[in-house]
Amino acid sequence: MAWSSSRRRERFNPDWERTRKIVGERDGWCCRQVVTDWNTGERHLCGRPGNEVDHIVRAGNGMPDDDSLSNLQVLCSYHHMLKTERESADARVERRRRREEAEWYSHPAFRA
């Protein structure tokens, strides 16, 4: 979903720009995604320049986001895109599971 058609912005903290700046400065505007070196297995931070502040744990079911500093991190565009795609896929799977469950329980055998 593109930002132009998203309603997510309506749930933003009115002080978001200030919060974003604090998080960016705290993280040095460097990507905080942990990556694993395929050759050595060593884990380290991506460290590329980051310009996107991300919620580590995403709010669900239309709830407001947790804008506490401990739930925010800077990510580069690449890692933010990957994380967003993963969260979107997880949400689609959950919606499908709920639809299938609702269809299952709509069977006449489950009606009172």
Side-chain angles (χ1 to χ4, degrees):
M1 174 185 296
W3 269 107
S4 60
S5 60
S6 172
R7 297 191 61 194
R8 188 168 164 80
R9 191 179 307 265
E10 295 171 9
R11 297 193 325 252
F12 272 178
N13 163 348
D15 204 22
W16 176 248
E17 283 306 314
R18 180 178 165 276
T19 302
R20 184 180 184 282
K21 183 178 178 190
I22 290 169
V23 172
E25 289 173 356
R26 177 197 70 195
D27 292 351
W29 292 105
C30 292
C31 182
R32 306 293 294 171
Q33 179 66 42
V34 176
V35 295
T36 303
D37 185 305
W38 285 39
N39 296 321
T40 65
E42 181 181 320
R43 296 170 53 90
H44 58 90
L45 295 179
C46 167
R48 291 191 316 198
N51 61 347
E52 301 183 32
V53 174
D54 171 69
H55 290 87
I56 297 168
V57 177
R58 184 175 173 266
N61 300 327
M63 297 300 293
D65 290 315
D66 172 9
D67 289 342
S68 62
L69 297 180
S70 62
N71 190 45
L72 297 171
Q73 65 183 346
V74 171
L75 293 178
C76 63
S77 296
Y78 175 76
H79 283 119
H80 192 244
M81 176 196 64
L82 289 179
K83 183 172 183 282
T84 300
E85 286 176 357
R86 186 174 54 249
E87 290 170 343
S88 295
D90 290 347
R92 284 192 303 274
V93 167
E94 179 59 22
R95 282 193 302 271
R96 183 178 333 120
R97 186 197 64 74
R98 280 195 225 127
R99 276 194 314 272
E100 289 171 354
E101 184 176 300
E103 183 179 327
W104 174 263
Y105 285 108
S106 70
H107 187 278
F110 292 104
R111 294 187 188 147

